[in-house]
Amino acid sequence: MAVDYTVIVVYLAGMLAMGWWGMRRARSKSEFLVAGRRLGPTMYSGTMAAIVLGGASTIGGVGLGYQYGLSGAWMVFTIGLGLLALSVFFSARIARLKVYTVSEMLDLRYGGRAGVISGVVMWAYTLMLAVTSTIAYATIFDVLFDMNRTVAIVLGGSIVVAYSTLGGMWSITLTDMVQFVVKTIGVLLLLLPIAVVKAGGFSEMKAQLPTEYFDPLGIGGETIFTYVLIYTFGMLIGQDIWQRVFTARGDRTAKWGGTVAGTYCLVYALAGAVIGTAAKVLYPRLGSADDAFATIVKDELPVGVRGLVLAAALAAVMSTSSGALIACATVANNDIWSRVRGVVRPDEDAHDEVKGNRAFILIMGVAVICTAIALNNVVEALTVAYNLLVGGLLVPILGGLLWRRGTAQGALASVVVGGVAVITLMATHGILANEPVYYGLLSSLAAYLAVSLMTRPTDAAVLAVWRERLAGRDPELVSEPVPAHQ
C-alpha cells in the first residue's frame, strides 16, 4: 500500500498548495466568491461537472448499480438532466444578473424581502449538503488507512476548509479542475474497464445476473419520478450550482460549458451503474451496497492504480464538499448576517469583505465538521437538504423567472408554506418518504399562485430593473475587464 499512500498524500498536498496559490488571486469579493466572473469554457465545464458529481454520485452511484443494475444510473442521470436544463434554459439569464446568491435574485425580482427567509432555507440546504460530503471522508480514509471515523472526518474536512478559506472560489476552481481530471482518469478510464474485464465481460455479467439488472426501468417508475423532483429540479435552484454559474465569463460559456458538463454527468451515471453491476458479479453477498465501490477498488485493482482511483473518490467528495461549503458561507454572510446588520450592498472591492467571507468559510467549516461527526446517516441528511430546497424554493425561483404576475407576498408564502409542509410531513411520514417533497411542492405552488393573484402586481419599476439586469444592461453594474482566461 506504500505506493497508494504516496499517491494520496501527494494529491492532498497538491490541494493545499493550490489553496495557497488561489489566495494570491482573491483580492476582491468578486474574485473570492465567484472567481471574478471570468472562467472560460474549459475550466467552467470541468469545475461544474466536479461539483455536481460528488461522493453520492460516485460511491452511491456504484452502490445503486450493485443493488439495481443498469437502472441504478437514474439518480446521477437525473442530476445530469437537471444540469442540462439549467444550462440550456436558464444559465445565460442567471449569469447576467451579476448577483452572488439565489436570495439576491429573489429580492431583485420581487422587490421585497422574500430573500431573508429563503436565505435561511438555502443555508440549511447547503449546510446539510456539505455535511453529507464530509461524512463520506470516513468511508474513504477507512479503506486507505483503517482510520477512526472522527479522525477521518476532521482530517478530510480540515483540508477542504483550509484551501477554501485561503483562496475562496479561485482555490476551489483550481482544485476542482484537478479533481475533474482525476475522476475522469480514475473512474471512467481505469475502474470502469477493469471492473468489466474482471467480471468476465458483459456476456458473463448477463449470464450471472437476473434479467432485471439490465432493465433500464428496473429501479421503479416512482423512484425515478422522485429522483427527477429532487435532483433534476434541485440542480435548477441550488446556491452551490448557481454560484458556479456566476463564475462564467459570459452567456455562451454558461450555456455551452454547462451543456458539456451535463452530458459528462450522463456518461458518469452509466459508468457507475456498470461498475456496480460488475461488482455484483464479483461479490454477490456484500453486507451493504455502498461497500461495492471500496471493495472492488481494494481487491481488484493493481498497486498505484488503486491509489489513483481512491484519489478519484476523494476528489469527488472534496469537490462537492468545497462547493457546498463556500455556498453555505456566502449565504450565511450575504443573505443572513449582512441583513441582520442592515448592510444591503457592501463594497465588493473592500479588502474587509474578503476577510469577512474568509472568516465565514472558516466558521461554517468548523460547524460542518462538528455536525458531520454527530450524524451517521448520509442518506437522511441529503434527503432533508433536497426536500427543503425543492419543497421551499423551487416554485418562487422558477416562478420569478417564468411568470411576470408573481409577487413578493406570493413568493414569501410559497417559501413558508412549502417549507413547513416538508418539515411536517418528514416528521409524520419519515425522512425518507416520498410524500414530503410531493405535497410540499404542491402546497408551495398553490400558495404562490393564490397569494400572488390576491395581491397587487409587482411594481413596474421593480420589473423594469429586473428586465434590465436579465439583459445585462443594469447601469448600476460596473463592467469588469475580462481577460481571456481558460
Side-chain angles (χ1 to χ4, degrees):
M1 291 290 288
V3 175
D4 296 326
Y5 291 161
T6 302
V7 171
I8 298 295
V9 170
V10 169
Y11 169 77
L12 294 176
M15 296 300 99
L16 291 174
M18 288 187 180
W20 183 262
W21 187 87
M23 182 176 66
R24 299 168 56 191
R25 302 202 62 162
R27 302 293 186 183
S28 68
K29 179 180 177 180
S30 175
E31 295 281 355
F32 190 82
L33 294 182
V34 290
R37 306 186 194 274
R38 51 183 176 172
L39 295 191
T42 302
M43 290 195 74
Y44 180 84
S45 298
T47 57
M48 182 62 88
I51 187 176
V52 300
L53 296 174
S57 299
T58 303
I59 299 171
V62 171
L64 287 171
Y66 182 89
Q67 190 171 359
Y68 298 105
L70 297 186
S71 66
W74 273 106
M75 184 187 78
V76 183
F77 200 83
T78 54
I79 290 174
L81 291 178
L83 186 52
L84 284 172
L86 174 70
S87 302
V88 172
F89 299 113
F90 299 109
S91 63
R93 284 186 284 176
I94 291 170
R96 291 188 209 118
L97 292 175
K98 303 295 184 187
V99 295
Y100 292 103
T101 68
V102 174
S103 296
E104 287 181 25
M105 167 264 169
L106 290 173
D107 276 352
L108 273 174
R109 166 60 182 81
Y110 296 110
R113 285 293 171 262
V116 179
I117 294 179
S118 68
V120 174
V121 176
M122 188 64 77
W123 173 80
Y125 156 73
T126 53
L127 179 71
M128 284 291 99
L129 187 62
V131 166
T132 58
S133 302
T134 304
I135 291 174
Y137 294 130
T139 301
I140 298 171
F141 282 112
D142 178 57
V143 174
L144 284 171
F145 308 116
D146 192 24
M147 187 178 291
N148 174 270
R149 178 181 183 276
T150 299
V151 175
I153 289 173
V154 171
L155 175 60
S158 297
I159 292 171
V160 170
V161 171
Y163 72 70
S164 301
T165 302
L166 285 173
M169 187 58 82
W170 267 122
S171 294
I172 292 171
T173 295
L174 294 170
T175 54
D176 276 1
M177 196 61 202
V178 173
Q179 288 158 357
F180 169 74
V181 173
V182 171
K183 279 192 287 190
T184 301
I185 295 173
V187 175
L188 297 184
L189 302 184
L190 292 176
L191 183 57
L192 174 61
I194 290 173
V196 172
V197 170
K198 291 284 186 178
F202 286 105
S203 58
E204 183 64 20
M205 290 163 63
K206 288 184 176 180
Q208 292 286 336
L209 296 173
T211 55
E212 56 263 28
Y213 264 72
F214 302 92
D215 180 0
L217 303 178
I219 199 170
E222 184 179 355
T223 299
I224 294 171
F225 180 68
T226 303
Y227 284 160
V228 170
L229 278 185
I230 293 177
Y231 297 113
T232 301
F233 287 127
M235 287 296 105
L236 297 179
I237 58 175
Q239 169 67 25
D240 52 323
I241 309 302
W242 277 40
Q243 199 156 342
R244 293 309 173 96
V245 175
F246 300 151
T247 66
R249 188 171 64 193
D251 294 0
R252 290 179 60 83
T253 296
K255 183 175 181 178
W256 297 112
T259 301
V260 170
T263 304
Y264 178 90
C265 291
L266 303 184
V267 175
Y268 200 88
L270 184 59
V274 171
I275 293 168
T277 304
K280 184 67 175 178
V281 174
L282 295 168
Y283 312 99
R285 294 181 179 83
L286 287 178
S288 169
D290 285 340
D291 293 336
F293 179 88
T295 303
I296 196 170
V297 169
K298 193 172 183 179
D299 294 350
E300 302 298 335
L301 298 185
V303 173
V305 173
R306 179 171 50 206
L308 182 59
V309 173
L310 287 172
L314 196 59
V317 174
M318 283 187 161
S319 57
T320 300
S321 181
S322 59
L325 176 59
I326 193 171
C328 180
T330 302
V331 170
N333 189 15
N334 287 262
D335 294 337
I336 300 174
W337 178 241
S338 291
R339 295 171 191 272
V340 170
R341 293 188 300 151
V343 179
V344 180
R345 291 188 68 177
D347 179 8
E348 62 180 61
D349 292 321
H351 186 60
D352 285 346
E353 273 299 298
V354 175
K355 286 185 177 180
N357 282 289
R358 186 173 280 138
F360 265 87
I361 290 181
L362 182 59
I363 293 168
M364 291 299 107
V366 172
V368 165
I369 291 172
C370 293
T371 307
I373 292 171
L375 294 179
N376 288 314
N377 197 313
V378 179
V379 175
E380 288 191 357
L382 192 63
T383 302
V384 169
Y386 274 98
N387 281 353
L388 283 172
L389 178 70
V390 174
L393 293 179
L394 177 68
V395 170
I397 292 171
L398 292 189
L401 289 168
L402 301 174
W403 191 41
R404 182 174 178 177
R405 186 61 180 82
T407 66
Q409 295 88 340
L412 185 58
S414 178
V415 174
V416 173
V417 171
V420 170
V422 164
I423 293 171
T424 302
L425 289 168
M426 284 193 294
T428 57
H429 288 71
I431 290 175
L432 299 179
N434 291 327
E435 287 82 359
V437 70
Y438 291 171
Y439 296 114
L441 191 55
L442 287 174
S443 61
S444 178
L445 177 60
Y448 182 70
L449 294 174
V451 176
S452 291
L453 291 173
M454 289 188 297
T455 52
R456 294 183 60 181
T458 303
D459 186 87
V462 172
L463 289 177
V465 172
W466 167 253
R467 287 193 295 269
E468 289 295 302
R469 280 293 270 271
L470 280 179
R473 296 192 300 265
D474 187 353
E476 293 184 8
L477 294 175
V478 179
S479 59
E480 300 178 55
V482 181
H485 182 74
Q486 293 294 314

